[in-house]
Amino acid sequence: MEKTLVLVKPDGVAKGLTGEIIARFERRGLTLAALKMLKLTKDKAEIHYAEHKERPFFGELVVFITSGPIVAMVISGENAVKIVRAMMGPTNPADAAPGTVRGDYALSIGQNIIHGSDSPASAAREIEIYFAPDELVN
């Protein structure tokens, strides 16, 4: 079983989409292994987005992800990273097909509802940022 981190970003939480997003993953057959709502600190946001630190949009990422509550979850299942990424749709909602989370609910690349780990290695690193090992169910 593979695990991946999913964040419902502040815009998704504000729009009341958390339940719908979880339901989509569960209906697909993926399992919820951990879940929490939190307000991300600037320090933790900078750790999460460390790979983008030298990019011009880094500051905007940190400001946005800390602007309101987020819901962090660990989703598990066979090929969880790849399946979650496909269900989310491309980062730019303008490129996202209807039926994907971003295709159905997001309008801009800066506020695109959801984050999902892009590889099993990223998932392992990101899960450790948000969850202690004893918080994971399976």
Side-chain angles (χ1 to χ4, degrees):
M1 284 294 161
E2 189 172 73
K3 289 182 172 48
T4 190
L5 180 82
V6 174
L7 302 178
V8 180
K9 295 178 181 180
D11 55 331
V13 172
K15 290 180 179 181
L17 295 173
T18 302
E20 169 62 22
I21 290 168
I22 293 168
R24 284 179 181 221
F25 295 136
E26 290 182 327
R27 284 192 301 261
R28 182 72 186 261
L30 297 168
T31 303
L32 191 60
L35 175 74
K36 65 171 82 168
M37 179 180 259
L38 64 144
K39 180 96 166 51
L40 204 55
T41 65
K42 182 178 183 232
D43 289 343
K44 203 168 252 196
E46 288 177 349
I47 292 167
H48 177 91
Y49 286 122
E51 67 209 40
H52 301 298
K53 193 164 184 91
E54 301 305 319
R55 296 198 170 155
F57 56 83
F58 177 75
E60 293 171 34
L61 285 174
V62 171
V63 167
F64 173 62
I65 201 74
T66 60
S67 69
I70 63 168
V71 173
M73 63 187 95
V74 177
I75 300 290
S76 67
E78 192 171 331
N79 298 307
V81 171
K82 187 174 184 178
I83 290 169
V84 166
R85 301 241 351 133
M87 292 177 70
M88 290 182 346
T91 303
N92 186 343
D95 299 330
T100 64
V101 172
R102 291 177 176 142
D104 289 348
Y105 302 116
L107 295 174
S108 75
I109 197 167
Q111 295 188 8
N112 62 5
I113 307 291
I114 192 168
H115 164 84
S117 303
D118 64 4
S119 69
S122 290
R125 181 186 75 79
E126 292 175 352
I127 289 168
E128 285 184 2
I129 294 169
Y130 296 90
F131 296 96
D134 66 343
E135 293 179 295
L136 302 177
V137 174
N138 27 341

